[in-house]
Amino acid sequence: MSKLIYEKSVAGRQAIVLPKPGVPQKKLSDLLPSAFLRTVPPALPEVSELDAVRHFVKLSQLNHSIDTGFYPLGSCTMKYNPKVNDAMAALEGFRDLHPYQPEEQIQGALELLWTLQESIASVVGLPAVTLQPAAGAHGEMVGLMIIKAYFKAKGETARTKVIVPDTAHGTNPATAALAGFDVVEIPSNERGNVDIEGLKKALGPDVAGIMLTNPNTLGLFEEEITEIARLVHEAGGLLYYDGANLNAIMGLVRPGDMGFDVCHLNLHKTFSTPHGGGGPGGCAVACRATLEKFLPKPVVTRKGSRFSLDWDRPDSIGKIKGFYGNFGILVRALTYMLAHGREGLCQVSLDAILSANYLKEKLKHFYALPYKQACMHEFVLSGTRQKERGVTTNHIAKRMLDFGVHSPTVYFPLVVPEAMMIEPTETESKQTLDDFIEIMVNIDKETQTDPEKVKTAPHNTPVGKLDEALAARKPNLRWQPAK
Ligand SMILES: *Cc1c(COP(=O)(O)O)cnc(C)c1O
């Protein structure tokens, strides 16, 4: 790694020289109590502007990002975020708004929220939408609180269980438990879909509903979805759709039409707003008209050409986020939807499915493919053949970093041993996909000719193989001067 900014410091060097002020200067000690003043100046690096710029640009390049390389992280939809989204969010009419401004001054912002609500309602086929949640797991929480409020209002308080398939994203059982439900896990069948007999056994008067992802986390479309919906509704339960990844079905099929009652969408996945690195996310929760009154308040409503924030919602589960959600993210999501239009969003899904199936068909000759049918926007390989040669999926994932590619999601879903869950997204060219295939084929060859090279990877990254337990428990996040 090149020298850090602290090591480049030269006493007296500075980035900018300010002109002498034309007014008399006050001493700091006249402005602040002496207890608040330093006695020794801070040990800051003294560098030129160029050194400072290089320092921060280099730091920004130490992490992998979608702007610097391919990022096939299954279930995360690390697609390219078009820069026009950022430009729209930075428009001063949006950027300079204050959340306490009165309604009549923020009509444009409310119209934007309302338009996004309507656009999402039409994509998912459910009429009522809130944009307050900060991220997917937060949206799941809102959805389950709505389901809970619904049964409470009906007096059906014995419905304490939520069914979750064994392939579910980890947030699903976690959310159900946090929302006060008991989690009942059901198995998937040999085709990776929900096992209908297992579902029938789990259903009953104590079940509030089921949480499903479709396509599921194996990237497979739930073939029996309408039968599943019929069975759950017949047993008096509701269906929750985890739409964190809508990238496979936008414009092709709608959760509302499949029979789902509530769903959430990660705007920071399908709708191309930034994610990774813990930045702000955005999430929409949509539900059937019968559940609308339970939505978090305030709800953005429209009367004629006037938009308002409706706080008068006595059955609402309450407020779940500061102000109205992460507004800048919502501007980006609507920009993306408008830029693509109806046909464009359909095409996104079709291209995402095509990319995934292309990779699957090419790679299945080198890596085990547990589920052979056509996939949706992602698919799961298994590193069992390579493991027989002593090389694990973990080693393969680390080796990919040497080629400037982020690793896929690994060891998930849990039902596949040595899992590699690959999601190329529609934003990558065929050339990038072909490069990735070549990298994967080469790594497979290396597991036969030079397994040590794979097992000791990465070799080219700024930081090599980490002690993962120690890195998680005692992260070293700060530069410290040599003692
Ligand atoms: C990403 C994801 C979530 C959680 O979303 P966050 O925004 O990370 O909280 C839930 N379910 C699925 C299927 C996901 O891929």
Side-chain angles (χ1 to χ4, degrees):
M1 207 177 350
S2 59
K3 272 190 173 175
L4 288 163
I5 197 166
Y6 299 93
E7 297 157 339
K8 287 185 181 167
S9 183
V10 173
R13 185 168 289 170
Q14 60 192 87
I16 41 168
V17 182
L18 295 172
K20 288 224 152 35
V23 291
Q25 269 182 290
K26 281 211 163 145
K27 276 205 243 121
L28 263 185
S29 50
D30 294 338
L31 299 168
L32 288 173
S34 57
F36 292 160
L37 295 178
R38 285 177 177 278
T39 50
V40 185
L44 294 175
E46 298 178 71
V47 294
S48 69
E49 179 172 328
L50 178 57
D51 279 338
V53 167
R54 286 193 179 143
H55 169 74
F56 285 109
V57 171
K58 276 189 187 137
L59 273 188
S60 77
Q61 291 170 337
L62 290 181
N63 264 337
H64 191 85
S65 72
I66 192 67
D67 284 356
T68 51
F70 186 45
Y71 210 141
L73 190 65
S75 192
C76 293
T77 313
M78 300 302 285
K79 61 160 88 173
Y80 175 65
N81 308 142
K83 300 301 170 221
V84 64
N85 297 356
D86 298 328
M88 293 305 110
L91 287 176
E92 57 189 41
F94 293 135
R95 184 194 64 199
D96 297 345
L97 282 179
H98 193 283
Y100 282 130
Q101 271 173 256
E103 244 172 63
E104 53 278 13
Q105 290 179 8
I106 55 164
Q107 284 294 305
L110 293 180
E111 180 173 0
L112 181 136
L113 296 177
W114 186 85
T115 310
L116 182 56
Q117 286 174 189
E118 292 293 299
S119 311
I120 289 192
S122 74
V123 168
V124 297
L126 292 166
V129 176
T130 178
L131 301 169
Q132 273 188 45
H138 196 193
E140 290 173 29
M141 188 69 192
V142 167
L144 288 199
M145 285 168 76
I146 290 173
I147 290 177
K148 198 161 205 185
Y150 168 77
F151 284 118
K152 190 166 171 216
K154 281 181 77 180
E156 296 187 32
T157 46
R159 294 194 180 271
T160 55
K161 292 183 179 163
V162 165
I163 300 173
V164 180
D166 58 1
T167 53
H169 193 271
T171 50
N172 292 181
T175 304
L178 205 63
F181 290 104
D182 298 322
V183 179
V184 181
E185 190 180 282
I186 53 164
S188 38
N189 62 21
E190 70 290 349
R191 280 177 71 74
N193 289 136
V194 166
D195 177 63
I196 298 287
E197 290 313 310
L199 173 66
K200 280 184 187 160
K201 267 191 223 129
L203 284 170
D206 54 350
V207 168
I210 185 169
M211 296 180 88
L212 274 185
T213 308
N214 192 17
N216 64 22
T217 55
L218 292 163
L220 304 174
F221 196 82
E222 204 58 73
E223 293 160 347
E224 304 278 1
I225 186 58
T226 46
E227 176 63 3
I228 293 171
R230 196 187 63 76
L231 288 170
V232 174
H233 284 148
E234 200 177 73
L238 294 179
L239 283 93
Y240 183 88
Y241 183 85
D242 177 342
N245 322 105
L246 212 69
N247 228 37
I249 65 161
M250 261 189 307
L252 305 178
V253 51
R254 308 190 303 173
D257 300 337
M258 294 183 220
F260 287 93
D261 303 288
V262 195
C263 82
H264 86 267
L265 307 183
N266 280 25
L267 302 178
H268 55 278
K269 279 181 183 169
T270 313
F271 297 96
S272 92
T273 72
H275 72 128
C283 177
V285 170
C287 63
R288 286 205 188 287
T290 41
L291 301 172
E292 178 169 9
K293 62 180 180 176
F294 303 111
L295 280 176
K297 60 186 175 183
V299 172
V300 181
T301 56
R302 172 179 155 171
K303 263 207 194 96
S305 61
R306 204 188 142 77
F307 299 89
S308 9
L309 291 166
D310 181 9
W311 287 89
D312 185 19
R313 318 269 302 184
D315 297 308
S316 164
I317 60 165
K319 186 145 179 41
I320 52 103
K321 171 89 177 75
F323 303 111
Y324 322 110
N326 285 329
F327 183 70
I329 296 294
L330 304 176
V331 177
R332 288 171 171 87
L334 184 63
T335 304
Y336 179 77
M337 293 182 89
L338 294 178
H340 280 79
R342 193 182 291 266
E343 288 79 28
L345 292 181
C346 273
Q347 196 63 47
V348 162
S349 295
L350 292 172
D351 290 348
I353 294 170
L354 183 62
S355 297
N357 279 285
Y358 178 63
L359 286 187
K360 171 174 75 68
E361 287 304 306
K362 292 282 183 179
L363 291 175
K364 72 179 184 189
H365 305 294
F366 304 90
Y367 296 84
L369 176 70
Y371 301 97
K372 311 268 184 288
Q373 68 263 48
C375 65
M376 298 295 282
H377 64 305
E378 64 191 0
F379 62 101
V380 179
L381 295 176
S382 170
T384 42
R385 281 183 214 161
Q386 288 72 19
K387 197 173 180 191
E388 282 165 21
R389 302 170 197 144
V391 180
T392 65
T393 282
N394 188 25
H395 297 138
I396 295 169
K398 298 283 183 204
R399 182 67 177 137
M400 285 185 209
L401 307 180
D402 283 335
F403 299 99
V405 166
H406 196 283
S407 81
T409 297
V410 293
Y411 297 102
F412 182 80
L414 305 174
V415 293
V416 174
E418 300 295 312
M420 281 178 259
M421 184 191 205
I422 298 173
E423 180 183 5
T425 86
E426 76 289 355
T427 56
E428 301 293 344
S429 65
K430 177 167 181 295
Q431 286 71 26
T432 302
L433 301 184
D434 286 336
D435 288 347
F436 178 65
I437 292 164
E438 198 181 314
I439 291 166
M440 291 289 283
V441 172
N442 277 337
I443 294 177
D444 172 56
K445 263 197 208 117
E446 284 179 344
T447 65
Q448 303 168 55
T449 56
D450 190 1
E452 269 317 295
K453 186 156 198 184
V454 185
K455 285 161 85 172
T456 50
H459 306 286
N460 305 335
T461 50
V463 177
K465 216 180 193 63
L466 291 173
D467 178 333
E468 285 176 15
L470 207 62
R473 281 195 208 116
K474 289 191 177 166
N476 176 5
L477 303 174
R478 194 158 62 93
W479 180 83
Q480 314 251 10
K483 292 245 168 69

